[in-house]
Amino acid sequence: MANVDLFSNLFKRKRPALATDAVNAAGGAAYQRSDAQALAQYVATGCLSNTFYASAKDQLAELQRLALLAPAPFVARAAVYAREQGFMKDTPALLLAVLASRDGALFEAVFHRICDNGKMLRNFVQIVRSGATGRRSLGSRPKRAVQRWLKNRSDAQLLAASVGDSPSLADIVKMVHPLPDTPARRALYAWLLGRDHATDELPAAVREFEDFKAGRTRTPPDLPFQLLTARPLDKHQWRTIAERAPWQMTRMNLNTFLRHEVFDDPKLTRKIAQRLASPEQIQRARAFPYQLLMAYKQADPKLPRIVREALQDAMEAAIANVPAIDGKVYLLPDVSGSMHSPVTGRRKGATTQVRCIDVAALVAAAFLRRNRDAELLPFHDRVLRCELKAAEGVMKNAATLAGLPSGGTDCSVPLRTLNERRARGDLVIFISDNESWIDAKGRGRATGVMREWEAFRARNPRAKLVCIDVQPSATVQAPDRPDILNVGGFSDAVFELVAAFARGGLGPDHWVGVIDALAL
């Protein structure tokens, strides 16, 4: 539970028990989240891209507003949470840039935890230079932090970090003017900048890379393949790359391997399939179930069957820790029109194929897999019939749910259906974007969800409600309280959070409490 004394009056919000005080992005009545809860949700799921209801610009403005209202220590912890537990990229970099202007000491304390690779360093520098946080230059303290980052990386790590641009690693080196402390580092900086250097002083990894580029060697060096593809590669070289690829690279490049005849080698194909399905490698790669869903949806139908089945096996491994929940459980996945938008928003050249509805279907199917007497009530403006078999694979059940017809959004309708049936139950789980509008009655009255939930609890006084919001929003359909938990975003942790809440082990301000408890 959060230590609420840490937040100022501006960072808290009180309301009557049921009266609404906001309008959501779809125009429906809703409850405004406290600033602390809203910021916590952004760091769990904020994508800073165009979602169905909110533009990237709107989300950026709201996130900046919240980051300026929050106490600086909470912002620092939120940035660390977003990176280390949410595995996000844009949001932690933005919060770090805000800290650079607000609190230099806290900025330095968390810099190395946010900028843990070259991609994150480039994100941070790009955000600062964009002027989004009020400055366009790094300044002395951030410059020293970047210099330390460069100094503490090995030559091989810097070479790997040279993948990417806008800005490139060379651009960053030009900005901060790091002082090389060895001849090899001096030669490496000169090589990155395209300046004269002593070839024999270059680090061994760079010399191997240069030999490969020049065709003096045939075997690809053990480097990120994005560096190696600057020259044409034959199928044998691609097979070498695929054979030693880590799990995430394998997942993301299955179609590329197919195009370059990697899977024409049966022995290597079996090795790749075993890698994909390995529970140990899945855990080490910090794989999200939706990443596996994305890989499965993007997989070329021509991929070998053993590889496609390995993705399904990987999904089962990724959700192996989904807990069984005591009592009667109802699963309410939203299949309305807005749920067909990309879960991480629309971004030119980088829009995911995974939709909100796919995530909703995945969560519902995963819970159903472990809680086989759970009842499923998919809905839009009415409840739809959908018969799923818990014993079926999660991928198959998720695809069936995601294929249901869509309509408008009335989040109260599945609860109303349960009330009409005088249903008994212990836990109700919504998976939605929370943008209910058909039941809108205006501010000052309870939402349809709350009216129906109060009726449900009258029969089931110990029942609990979990609302999983798959996209960031400052409003909810049911306010946080001891019997109601709002969860922002989706990760492996969601399943255990829901189970802990059902057991009575969590307070409604869980996300705020988790962030506030992080050590800096």
Side-chain angles (χ1 to χ4, degrees):
M1 184 68 178
N3 180 359
V4 295
D5 291 333
L6 291 176
F7 301 101
S8 66
N9 289 335
L10 283 176
F11 211 54
K12 296 183 291 184
R13 188 184 304 270
K14 295 182 179 179
R15 64 173 66 85
L18 296 180
T20 58
D21 59 358
V23 175
N24 63 27
Y31 301 95
Q32 187 74 32
R33 308 203 77 181
S34 74
D35 292 325
Q37 293 165 344
L39 180 58
Q41 180 161 326
Y42 269 99
V43 304
T45 188
C47 52
L48 298 184
S49 300
N50 293 320
T51 62
F52 190 87
Y53 286 108
S55 70
K57 184 177 179 180
D58 291 341
Q59 291 187 59
L60 175 61
E62 179 64 8
L63 183 54
Q64 287 178 283
R65 183 189 73 82
L66 294 168
L68 291 173
L69 278 175
F74 188 81
V75 176
R77 291 184 174 94
V80 171
Y81 177 88
R83 182 58 189 155
E84 293 185 347
Q85 298 187 41
F87 312 128
M88 300 178 71
K89 298 183 288 291
D90 294 343
T91 300
L94 175 64
L95 295 178
L96 184 64
V98 171
L99 276 178
S101 299
R102 286 195 59 187
D103 191 310
L106 281 172
F107 164 81
E108 287 191 310
V110 301
F111 178 87
H112 66 288
R113 298 175 68 175
I114 308 302
C115 295
D116 55 0
N117 60 33
K119 170 63 175 174
M120 289 304 300
L121 181 70
R122 291 197 309 276
N123 283 355
F124 166 71
V125 173
Q126 181 185 35
I127 288 171
V128 171
R129 294 184 70 201
S130 73
T133 58
R135 59 193 300 174
R136 291 187 178 274
S137 61
L138 287 177
S140 58
R141 197 186 295 255
K143 185 178 291 187
R144 289 196 301 270
V146 175
Q147 289 170 343
R148 285 194 297 271
W149 189 96
L150 294 168
K151 182 178 180 178
N152 293 334
R153 261 59 187 180
S154 68
D155 296 330
Q157 286 175 325
L158 288 184
L159 181 57
S162 68
V163 174
D165 51 21
S166 300
S168 66
L169 187 63
D171 293 330
I172 293 174
V173 169
K174 289 178 184 176
M175 289 177 215
V176 303
H177 306 291
L179 294 176
D181 51 6
T182 66
R185 185 55 57 93
R186 180 176 59 247
L188 175 57
Y189 287 152
W191 177 82
L192 282 170
L193 298 175
R195 296 174 181 170
D196 292 337
H197 57 274
T199 302
D200 58 346
E201 291 183 349
L202 283 171
V206 180
R207 293 199 303 271
E208 291 175 9
F209 178 48
E210 286 295 314
D211 288 342
F212 180 73
K213 285 198 303 180
R216 292 187 288 270
T217 60
R218 294 285 301 161
T219 302
D222 191 6
L223 294 170
F225 84 99
Q226 295 94 331
L227 287 172
L228 305 178
T229 53
R231 65 183 295 269
L233 303 175
D234 62 33
K235 65 181 180 181
H236 301 291
Q237 291 168 328
W238 272 107
R239 288 174 186 175
T240 299
I241 291 171
E243 185 168 15
R244 61 192 181 201
W247 190 91
Q248 286 285 17
M249 177 186 165
T250 302
R251 172 187 70 84
M252 296 171 66
N253 290 280
L254 293 174
N255 291 345
T256 300
F257 293 162
L258 177 67
R259 289 196 302 272
H260 293 284
E261 304 178 57
V262 167
F263 296 118
D264 288 355
D265 182 334
K267 184 177 179 180
L268 181 55
T269 299
R270 288 194 297 272
K271 184 174 182 178
I272 290 173
Q274 290 169 359
R275 180 190 305 155
L276 285 172
S278 166
E280 294 78 14
Q281 294 205 42
I282 291 168
Q283 184 177 19
R284 194 180 309 127
R286 302 187 297 187
F288 282 170
Y290 78 77
Q291 291 176 323
L292 288 159
L293 182 64
M294 180 169 64
Y296 190 77
K297 287 173 63 67
Q298 292 176 331
D300 192 305
K302 295 179 182 178
L303 281 174
R305 181 178 177 182
I306 188 175
V307 174
R308 294 179 63 85
E309 290 180 347
L311 288 173
Q312 298 188 58
D313 293 341
M315 176 65 79
E316 299 295 330
I319 64 166
N321 294 326
V322 175
I325 298 172
D326 292 334
K328 180 63 177 180
V329 179
Y330 296 100
L331 301 167
L332 317 181
D334 181 354
V335 298
S336 64
S338 62
M339 292 288 287
H340 288 258
S341 64
V343 67
T344 54
R346 300 186 186 279
R347 181 180 297 178
K348 186 176 181 180
T351 298
T352 178
Q353 290 192 21
V354 178
R355 305 162 298 172
C356 295
I357 194 172
D358 296 317
V359 172
L362 173 61
V363 175
F367 272 114
L368 186 64
R369 188 86 163 92
R370 292 300 309 278
N371 301 273
R372 300 195 173 195
D373 61 344
E375 186 172 343
L376 192 71
L377 286 85
F379 72 94
H380 45 72
D381 51 20
R382 58 187 175 85
V383 172
L384 304 176
R385 285 185 57 83
C386 182
E387 297 294 333
L388 297 183
K389 296 180 180 179
E392 293 281 5
V394 170
M395 290 287 200
K396 182 174 181 180
N397 280 340
T400 300
L401 277 173
L404 292 173
S406 62
T409 310
D410 184 348
C411 288
S412 66
V413 71
L415 282 173
R416 188 179 311 127
T417 299
L418 292 175
N419 285 332
E420 289 170 352
R421 288 166 35 188
R422 306 291 296 170
R424 299 285 179 175
D426 301 282
L427 180 66
V428 177
I429 304 174
F430 271 97
I431 315 104
S432 173
D433 59 3
N434 272 333
E435 298 296 344
S436 188
W437 56 272
I438 289 179
D439 60 337
K441 301 294 183 182
R443 290 197 189 193
R445 299 183 60 182
T447 60
V449 169
M450 282 305 299
R451 293 193 300 272
E452 298 297 338
W453 177 243
E454 290 297 296
F456 186 88
R457 284 192 74 239
R459 290 190 315 279
N460 305 280
R462 299 175 64 87
K464 293 191 174 183
L465 173 67
V466 175
C467 301
I468 300 174
D469 190 345
V470 296
Q471 284 189 324
S473 172
T475 64
V476 292
Q477 286 298 296
D480 294 286
R481 64 186 200 184
D483 61 309
I484 300 172
L485 175 69
N486 283 282
V487 177
F490 170 68
S491 74
D492 289 326
V494 165
F495 299 114
E496 185 54 44
L497 288 175
V498 172
F501 182 64
R503 293 192 299 265
L506 291 179
D509 272 336
H510 172 77
W511 291 111
V512 176
V514 167
I515 292 169
D516 193 43
L518 281 174
L520 295 180

